Amino acid sequence: MVVCGDDGLAHRLAAELRGVYGEQVTLVVPPAERGVRPPVVGRARTATALLDRVVSAAVGRAGGTGNGSGNGGGDGDAGSGGGPSRGDGRVLEAGELTEAVLAEAGVERATALALVYEDDETNIRAALTARRLNPRLRLVLRLYNRRLGLHIEELLDQAAALATGDGGASPAGDASTTVLSDADTAAPALVASAVAGTSKVVQTDGLLLRAVERPPPAPGQVADPGLCTLALLSATSSDPAGADGSEDSGEQRPRLLPDEAAVRAATGRGTVVLEQVSYAGPPMASGRGAGVVSSLNSLFSRRLRWSLAGLVGCVFALAVALWVVTGVRPLGALYLTLLDLFAIDDPALGESLGRQILQLLSGLVGLLLLPVLLAAVLEALGTFRSASALRRPPRGLGGHVVLLGLGKIGTRVLTRLRELGIPVVCVESGPEARGLATARRLRVPVVLGDVTQEGVLEAAKIQRADALLAVTSSDTTNLEAVLYARSVRPDLRVVLRLYDDDFATAVYRTLRAAHPRALTRSRSVSHLAAPAFAGAMFGRQILGAIPVERRVLLFASVEVEGHPQLEGRTVAEAFRAGYWRVLALDTGVVGRGAGDGGAGVDSGVGGGSGSGSGAGPVWNPPETYVLRKEDRVVLAATRRGLAELLGRRGRVEG
């Protein structure tokens, strides 16, 4: 395996391939003095100094809390900070990824190549060169531009097909090129960590999986397993001071993919269960109407709409009064009221006193109506004129998520939040951030300003927010913003994006000790994205990853053919506790096999979701269904379980 990159994801990915899958890895990185990002140690020291100054009183308490915990006990997480050492594999330093450098790295003999530079153009140029050197090479590219990524996949696969004559596919029939985005991979986990009542999610085309953390059931109650039970949480997870508490060992650590016996035997431990949500679209926030009402809401402010409604009510009240006083027909009374309202010359000379008083009142209402109509016209014109402008947080806003940073990660997080119908207020320091266009399109309020300056978070209504999600590219900025927000709201739920996973663990422990009653999460994007990139280097379609405390579960779509652990076995026999579990069958693949005389899965699913639809995966297939080689399954697996399923030497811990 060859990994080429210029940031922490490359080091993390190389460590993943070497430590978890037992692969021989060649890592190509820029020279130390030309690295795009400062060394991890230097960045960690800078942010740690800030942390020590602000919460020095809590550091002593945190030292006892995290004593002997290592890196958080996470499923092969050890050694993630600085990447693999030179003893773990071959390391090449190169300023540019030229054809000579790729040849020296052994691309012509490699099984897979991962190009994870931060610059899309660099990755594309290197991929074109590598495809020419080795048409059978499996390529994994890191691209932020998803539309461009689809075209690049087709182009490189077509080039491989022409060069090899057999489609350029691997023996298992997988595509030879996979384009992934670390932002897309990490965004669902970041969103899930920030939102109360919203679970960890894995999003794919037409499919939304949601992992829900449930507290321990009360005595005598049976917990609902959902589609299946993904994990048993650690014993400290229900304690605010022990959330994400995977520091414990043995039975206290979280157990991934437990069997039914383990679930029944576990007492006092929460669970993570899987639920399926249709991608037809979760409902947006309440208060959004449809049709004419929606148009009025977008054109006119709430205060102006109430003013217009009050004046209309006054007009009808005057018409009813005129009908009662004069005995005129209702339509005639309304007509005369409108004449008086618009000051059309028809004085009520010789009429009764009541009629004359009503005419005067109608004229007064008409005078009040003129400025309201003028305000409506000006507001509508202003709405059209500022349709492309950024919105400000509305008055009275509360229960929202404050999102700091609209870069690559922040833009993806913003999209996920809005798809889930969660109100958001964004804070961005520069007017040229790439996510501002997305915020403008989604009509999300944005506060422009330096988040470290006083008053910026207050403008984002941090006092009434439910959560703060800091995902800027600066560790110190994220940390400083979180510390300031906690001084304003000690119970605020916060999620930090930090560059290094070891540093993220240290920050988490300190904040947890300082604010034991508040929910704190610290996430490293490279930690969340590396498993998906590593799995893709083996040619498997990785649907996503869900963190369980400090560990990770992978969701993959795998062809049964070529896997003796799956082929010819029933769904129950294919399940291996702690390693992998079959969750669903692809109905399109199953339908093609049923015509050949094989028993279709739909007949045995009963009331399972999606059965018989033929439009998506069939969940909860019967345990007696025998997996055939033409089937494709959706499974959940640990990283070491996926390594073993792929026939690789995985490092299995106790």
Side-chain angles (χ1 to χ4, degrees):
M1 301 287 181
V2 180
V3 177
C4 305
D6 57 358
D7 65 354
L9 179 58
H11 294 274
R12 179 77 194 192
L13 177 55
E16 186 89 10
L17 293 170
R18 176 64 182 175
V20 178
Y21 296 93
E23 289 295 320
Q24 297 181 1
V25 182
T26 297
L27 177 62
V28 181
V29 294
E33 65 275 8
R34 295 185 57 186
V36 174
R37 305 179 75 99
V40 173
V41 175
R43 293 165 54 86
R45 286 176 179 170
T46 302
T48 303
L50 173 63
L51 182 66
D52 290 340
R53 290 197 306 268
V54 181
V55 290
S56 57
V59 173
R61 299 194 301 271
T65 304
N67 189 20
S69 61
N71 190 37
D75 197 14
D77 289 345
S80 64
S85 65
R86 293 183 182 268
D88 289 333
R90 186 183 174 203
V91 179
L92 297 179
E93 293 187 349
E96 295 183 5
L97 202 59
T98 61
E99 181 174 345
V101 172
L102 290 174
E104 184 180 357
V107 167
E108 296 168 333
R109 303 177 305 277
T111 301
L113 167 66
L115 299 166
V116 293
Y117 287 91
E118 287 192 327
D119 180 47
D120 287 1
E121 182 179 349
T122 301
N123 293 328
I124 294 173
R125 184 185 298 112
L128 297 174
T129 304
R131 176 60 74 216
R132 187 175 67 255
L133 293 175
N134 186 353
R136 295 185 178 274
L137 180 69
R138 185 177 294 115
L139 291 173
V140 178
L141 279 74
R142 172 190 185 181
L143 294 182
Y144 180 78
N145 190 327
R146 289 177 290 185
R147 179 176 298 179
L148 176 60
L150 294 176
H151 296 306
I152 292 298
E153 275 189 358
E154 296 177 358
L155 175 64
L156 293 174
D157 285 343
Q158 184 177 0
L162 294 176
T164 61
D166 59 359
S170 66
D174 298 309
S176 61
T177 306
T178 304
V179 174
L180 296 175
S181 167
D182 57 332
D184 284 330
T185 305
L190 292 170
V191 170
S193 299
V195 180
T198 302
S199 354
K200 305 175 178 70
V201 293
V202 172
Q203 192 166 1
T204 62
D205 294 337
L207 177 66
L208 187 65
L209 301 177
R210 181 170 61 181
V212 182
E213 292 188 9
R214 293 183 177 172
Q221 293 184 351
V222 178
D224 181 11
L227 291 175
C228 71
T229 300
L230 294 177
L232 295 173
L233 297 175
S234 61
T236 59
S237 61
S238 60
D239 181 5
D244 263 4
S246 54
E247 295 110 353
D248 295 325
S249 59
E251 293 298 324
Q252 304 303 317
R253 294 181 61 183
R255 296 186 60 181
L256 303 184
L257 302 177
D259 54 20
E260 293 184 4
V263 174
R264 289 194 300 267
T267 57
R269 298 177 66 173
T271 58
V272 178
V273 300
L274 185 68
E275 294 181 353
Q276 181 188 4
V277 180
S278 173
Y279 190 66
M284 299 298 288
S286 61
R288 177 169 292 191
V292 176
V293 176
S294 178
S295 301
L296 291 176
N297 290 345
S298 61
L299 279 178
F300 305 118
S301 65
R302 184 170 178 269
R303 182 180 300 177
L304 183 58
R305 294 197 303 270
W306 276 110
S307 300
L308 289 173
L311 288 175
V312 170
C314 290
V315 171
F316 279 99
L318 290 171
V320 171
L322 184 61
W323 173 35
V324 173
V325 171
T326 63
V328 183
R329 293 178 304 171
L331 289 179
L334 179 61
Y335 173 71
L336 292 176
T337 301
L338 292 176
L339 289 180
D340 297 334
L341 189 69
F342 296 119
I344 296 178
D345 190 17
D346 186 16
L349 299 176
E351 301 286 343
S352 64
L353 179 62
R355 169 73 179 96
Q356 293 176 344
I357 294 175
L358 289 174
Q359 189 175 53
L360 293 176
L361 292 176
S362 299
L364 178 62
V365 173
L367 293 176
L368 298 176
L369 180 62
L370 288 177
V372 174
L373 291 177
L374 179 60
V377 172
L378 294 178
E379 190 169 286
L381 291 176
T383 300
F384 289 125
R385 189 181 307 114
S386 62
S388 59
L390 295 173
R391 299 184 62 194
R392 301 289 297 175
R395 294 180 179 178
L397 178 66
H400 58 288
V401 173
V402 177
L403 176 62
L404 308 184
L406 286 175
K408 293 194 300 183
I409 304 297
T411 303
R412 295 289 192 253
V413 169
L414 172 61
T415 303
R416 295 296 188 271
L417 287 169
R418 293 311 298 148
E419 287 174 352
L420 293 173
I422 299 167
V424 189
V425 174
C426 300
V427 179
E428 175 56 49
S429 59
E432 303 299 328
R434 68 172 72 203
L436 290 179
T438 301
R440 187 180 296 112
R441 175 174 56 83
L442 297 176
R443 299 185 62 79
V444 173
V446 177
V447 176
L448 290 178
D450 186 355
V451 71
T452 61
Q453 299 297 321
E454 187 175 356
V456 174
L457 283 178
E458 284 81 356
K461 315 295 182 184
I462 194 65
Q463 301 90 338
R464 295 192 295 270
D466 272 356
L468 171 66
L469 217 168
V471 294
T472 71
S473 58
S474 170
D475 290 357
T476 54
T477 298
N478 294 336
L479 183 56
E480 185 174 353
V482 165
L483 293 175
Y484 178 75
R486 276 283 169 81
S487 68
V488 177
R489 281 273 310 278
D491 61 338
L492 182 67
R493 184 184 307 107
V494 298
V495 178
L496 297 85
R497 170 205 173 186
L498 297 176
Y499 178 71
D500 174 50
D501 191 52
D502 288 338
F503 179 55
T505 303
V507 170
Y508 154 72
R509 291 174 185 157
T510 305
L511 289 176
R512 185 188 65 184
H515 303 278
R517 297 187 178 277
L519 184 63
T520 302
R521 293 292 185 268
S522 56
R523 298 293 187 227
S524 166
V525 172
S526 63
H527 167 80
L528 297 173
F533 280 82
M537 292 187 73
F538 295 99
R540 296 308 183 261
Q541 181 185 1
I542 303 297
L543 301 179
I546 285 180
V548 178
E549 297 184 2
R550 301 294 296 181
R551 306 182 71 181
V552 175
L553 269 178
L554 295 176
F555 290 80
S557 179
V558 179
E559 295 281 358
V560 172
E561 184 178 6
H563 296 91
Q565 303 95 329
L566 303 176
E567 188 175 350
R569 297 174 180 264
T570 64
V571 172
E573 294 171 344
F575 170 45
R576 184 177 177 188
Y579 288 83
W580 61 78
R581 178 170 186 166
V582 175
L583 302 176
L585 297 171
D586 191 329
T587 56
V589 177
V590 171
R592 290 192 294 270
D596 299 331
V601 68
D602 291 348
S603 61
V605 172
S609 65
S611 79
S613 64
V618 176
W619 294 95
N620 282 336
E623 294 186 351
T624 57
Y625 176 77
V626 179
L627 299 174
R628 301 163 296 173
K629 64 179 182 180
E630 62 266 21
D631 292 342
R632 176 181 288 271
V633 296
V634 177
L635 53 83
T638 63
R639 287 182 282 185
R640 291 190 287 282
L642 184 60
E644 183 172 332
L645 188 64
L646 299 178
R648 304 285 176 170
R649 180 173 57 87
R651 183 182 62 190
V652 180
E653 299 177 1

